[in-house]
Amino acid sequence: MKITVTRTQRPKPKPEDENKLGFARTFSDHMFVVEHEAERGWFDPRIVPYQKIALDPASPVFHYAQEIFEGAKAYALDNGEIGLFRIRDNALRMNRSADRMCMPAIDVDLQVEAINRLVDLDRDWVPTSEGTSLYLRPTMIADGTSLGAHTATRFIYFIICSPTGTYYQQGMKPIRIRIETRHVRAVKGGVGRAKTGGNYAASFKASYAARQEGFNEVLWLDGREQKYVQEVGAMNMMFVIDGKIVTSELGDTILPGITRDSVLALAKEKGLEVVEDRVAVDYLFDAYDKGLLTEAFGTGTAAVISPVGELAWNERTITINDFAIGPVSMMFYEELSCIQRQRCPDTHGWTTIVPHYQA
Ligand SMILES: *Cc1c(COP(=O)(O)O)cnc(C)c1O
């Protein structure tokens, strides 16, 4: 399928200060769009100026939240090229989310080409300062004109791009996390493994309440026993216990993070023992009391690594590593950023370079 390109006639001003970008607040000049109908499959892939999307008010995305998305980043490299990190894995995960949400798969090569062409066209939008990147948000929504509560007959897949700084406004500093004991994020058999907007809508009440009390995020527990830790906001969670990397095993209820997978691969290479299992909160606090829980951190594309300085559970609050960034968190952050920026050898074939289609 040939992707057509319509360039903007009115390029937008770029953000002036790369150090004040925040997370995904401004968007680049162009977007990618492709549509799907049952009889036609995917059709009319195109790059167009960034613009509003007009939808029928009866579109299923508004009523039944049939929506999935991805999150990836394009990085400015020292040699002036633009790099991508494990972008095929994002495309593959998009299709796994699509399957769970009864939406059509979209050819992985088309997704990757769309991202490459879009980033190529908007390459001037990729910020270059340390810690910045162009955040990419592929999204698929259900479109249509009927309120029938069943899967849609039309779908739209689009990609938008945003020059982005560090995820947490305060920069890379340890965060405060509250273990959520009232609400749950996902249950076995549910959609916790899919990157779907509804998971976020269902989480905002708890994270809002936690923020009111000075926390940055909540750590979710399993939906059945409220005993085992799951993940945090848009991050998977890892703990350093007795020198081992301990993280929740994947299943129905946890989003399989690409950063998580990358950190575990690096850990094994470094000879660190990796434990993927059910992680009980009791076990964590017990390890803390014994002085064995030395670090905790979240992993995700937006924040890369986010050290956790404080963990509150009911009446108990513990301070981890004196609220400082620990050596293991730092090592993973530096190692991953180094590979993403293509300053370190990529022995895994994780990185690619955006081609120059325009030349
Ligand atoms: C996207 C996401 C993550 C992190 O996944 P990455 O591929 O590492 O960015 C973790 N949890 C949730 C709920 C997410 O949506």
Side-chain angles (χ1 to χ4, degrees):
M1 259 196 291
K2 188 169 175 347
I3 299 173
T4 62
V5 178
T6 309
R7 284 167 182 268
T8 182
Q9 295 303 306
R10 277 172 292 152
K12 297 187 275 190
K14 309 228 172 21
E16 272 168 25
D17 188 350
E18 285 197 355
N19 299 311
K20 292 192 184 138
L21 287 172
F23 179 72
R25 290 199 301 246
T26 51
F27 295 89
S28 70
D29 277 329
H30 298 90
M31 64 195 286
F32 172 82
V33 186
V34 61
E35 291 165 81
H36 185 280
E37 282 174 6
E39 323 78 63
R40 299 174 71 180
W42 291 104
F43 63 93
D44 196 13
R46 56 199 188 268
I47 290 172
V48 293
Y50 187 94
Q51 59 193 267
K52 293 184 177 165
I53 297 177
L55 294 178
D56 195 288
S59 286
V61 64
F62 296 139
H63 305 275
Y64 309 123
Q66 203 178 6
E67 185 267 4
I68 56 174
F69 64 94
E70 271 303 321
K73 280 176 171 176
Y75 303 88
L77 309 182
D78 296 330
N79 63 6
E81 297 294 332
I82 310 292
L84 295 171
F85 182 71
R86 301 190 68 171
I87 200 69
R88 284 190 85 79
D89 290 316
N90 288 100
L92 288 163
R93 187 171 64 189
M94 186 86 186
N95 283 346
R96 289 198 299 272
S97 297
D99 179 62
R100 179 64 186 84
M101 301 306 288
C102 208
M103 301 170 90
I106 173 163
D107 183 58
V108 168
D109 290 329
L110 176 61
Q111 292 188 60
V112 171
E113 187 188 342
I115 287 167
N116 272 311
R117 286 190 182 269
L118 180 59
V119 173
D120 175 39
L121 190 60
D122 280 348
R123 58 174 64 235
D124 290 350
W125 283 86
V126 184
T128 53
S129 312
E130 228 31 67
T132 64
S133 55
L134 188 70
Y135 183 76
L136 311 172
R137 174 52 65 89
T139 307
M140 194 195 299
I141 56 176
D143 184 20
T145 53
S146 154
L147 292 182
H150 45 69
T151 189
T153 52
R154 284 182 51 83
F155 296 89
I156 302 172
Y157 170 99
F158 61 86
I159 307 166
I160 52 177
C161 316
S162 169
T164 285
T166 47
Y167 188 65
Y168 293 95
Q169 278 166 8
Q170 47 189 347
M172 182 153 148
K173 261 197 212 158
I175 56 170
R176 302 177 64 214
I177 291 215
R178 180 163 80 185
I179 297 178
E180 175 62 34
T181 51
R182 257 167 66 82
H183 301 280
V184 297
R185 176 185 173 276
V187 291
K188 197 166 182 318
V191 296
R193 184 165 43 178
K195 216 166 169 70
T196 183
N199 284 330
Y200 282 78
S203 77
F204 291 156
K205 191 173 169 71
S207 59
Y208 178 80
R211 275 190 198 127
Q212 295 296 99
E213 292 171 39
F215 296 97
N216 302 82
E217 276 294 349
V218 301
L219 171 58
W220 298 102
L221 298 179
D222 72 283
R224 222 172 110 199
E225 298 177 74
Q226 300 254 71
K227 203 172 146 187
Y228 301 101
V229 304
Q230 304 269 284
E231 57 177 311
V232 169
M235 294 189 289
N236 296 108
M237 263 311 282
M238 306 221 174
F239 303 91
V240 183
I241 298 177
D242 199 13
K244 300 176 187 134
I245 307 298
V246 177
T247 193
S248 307
E249 65 188 357
L250 296 178
D252 264 3
T253 59
I254 293 181
L255 199 291
I258 293 166
T259 321
R260 174 190 184 279
D261 186 73
S262 308
V263 164
L264 295 185
L266 293 177
K268 285 171 195 165
E269 273 171 24
K270 304 236 166 262
L272 290 169
E273 195 177 324
V274 169
V275 181
E276 285 181 81
D277 201 351
R278 291 200 296 188
V279 181
V281 192
D282 270 336
Y283 162 74
L284 289 179
F285 278 68
D286 190 48
Y288 180 82
D289 290 335
K290 291 183 177 134
L292 298 174
L293 172 61
T294 49
E295 288 182 51
F297 56 93
T299 67
T301 295
V304 191
I305 300 288
S306 193
V308 174
E310 190 181 290
L311 202 52
W313 184 36
N314 294 320
E315 305 310 312
R316 247 198 112 180
T317 300
I318 58 177
T319 301
I320 301 168
N321 192 41
D322 294 325
F323 215 85
I325 303 174
V328 177
S329 314
M330 199 60 187
M331 184 265 290
F332 284 129
Y333 178 80
E334 287 184 338
E335 192 101 349
L336 261 184
S337 309
C338 192
I339 298 173
Q340 287 166 338
R341 283 252 152 137
Q342 304 193 18
R343 290 169 177 155
C344 296
D346 168 20
T347 56
H348 306 88
W350 284 341
T351 59
T352 51
I353 288 180
V354 173
H356 291 261
Y357 295 97
Q358 314 300 320

